[in-house]
Amino acid sequence: MKIIASYNIKGGVGKTATAVNLAYLSAREGYRTLIWDLDPQGAATYYFRVKPKVKGGTKALVSGHQDLDDLVKGTDFERLDLLPADFSYRNMDLLLEDNKRPTKQLQKLLAPMAIAYDYVFLDCPPSISLVSENVFRASHALLVPMIPTTLSARTLAQLQDFLEGHDGLGKTNLMPFFSMVDRRKHLHLHLMESLPQSFPSFLKTSIPYATEVERMGITRMPLPAYAPSTNPVTRAYEALWQEVKAGIKGSAIWATAG
């Protein structure tokens, strides 16, 4: 089982669209796929027409009194399941602190899911927190969608500094890529050329800004499910999935947390 997190310290950069669309493409290719909506706002849960509710809330989940497997919901798409959001996730940081190994609790919770899934996608809330550190330690790759702006570049540098400053996170497979790109803007073009020189792990694929992505909120389904492969944004997500998959091909098989 490979775990891929869609994460950025900033909000509004396309994290949920990334997680939802790549999870759909993974399932469409035949992989058993799970997406866990960790954001209390529940946008990914909304896209899949599932109620944002977890039995027992975050407390039962984090304490281990509730197995993740019992909380999984099916979606309208074959081989694609969802662990829904819950508004109580806003308190997850506080509850994680009460555990013996607070930075590895998500990894421990996910361990039994390796029997059932090939890929797990984590749709993460913005911020950098104890939940974030759990995500970093549980994931094979950290996908970081970022709009080509100076503030986005600053938060990417902050993230890299955090990873390098914490034991065991320095070798995190960081995969930034440009999202919501508007090639009519000079700043976007400039940063797309200059930033990868400072961050060599930048993916080659970029996602253009397009109203088709915003329509996910109306159709309540992944973009490739309603926009054909001839659509340039669908093609971009398909290319991104292939690049991500190749980038984690050699990563170690996920092991149970101690």
Side-chain angles (χ1 to χ4, degrees), residues 24-177:
Y24 171 82
L25 291 170
S26 167
R28 194 177 74 177
E29 273 192 5
Y31 296 109
R32 300 167 302 164
T33 305
L34 174 70
I35 178 170
W36 188 357
D37 186 355
L38 284 166
D39 191 335
Q41 296 179 70
T45 305
Y46 177 82
Y47 283 153
F48 286 111
R49 305 170 186 266
V50 174
K51 186 177 179 181
K53 183 71 179 174
V54 170
K55 187 178 179 182
T58 306
K59 189 172 183 178
L61 191 67
V62 171
S63 66
H65 292 147
Q66 184 69 270
D67 291 336
L68 287 193
D69 192 44
D70 295 334
L71 305 173
V72 168
K73 306 289 184 185
T75 71
D76 293 337
F77 308 99
E78 193 175 0
R79 294 179 295 276
L80 179 53
D81 292 335
L82 170 79
L83 258 170
D86 189 283
F87 197 55
S88 68
Y89 284 177
R90 70 192 188 282
N91 299 320
M92 192 177 284
D93 276 326
L94 298 173
L95 295 166
L96 284 169
E97 283 183 352
D98 294 335
N99 285 275
K100 279 186 179 178
R101 305 180 73 184
T103 61
K104 295 187 176 181
Q105 195 62 17
L106 288 192
Q107 187 178 353
K108 183 179 177 182
L109 291 171
L110 283 164
M113 310 303 278
I115 299 171
Y117 296 103
D118 301 306
Y119 287 99
V120 173
F121 290 82
L122 305 178
D123 182 27
C124 305
S127 77
I128 193 156
S129 63
L130 189 52
V131 174
S132 310
E133 190 170 346
N134 269 266
V135 167
F136 302 157
R137 295 188 185 280
S139 302
H140 288 90
L142 211 56
L143 264 179
V144 186
M146 54 174 293
I147 303 170
T149 65
T150 48
L151 283 180
S152 291
R154 181 171 175 268
T155 56
L156 181 60
Q158 288 174 329
L159 173 60
Q160 189 170 55
D161 287 346
F162 180 90
L163 295 174
E164 290 176 353
H166 286 74
D167 287 343
L169 294 179
K171 294 184 178 179
T172 298
N173 191 0
L174 194 62
M175 292 182 169
F177 68 96

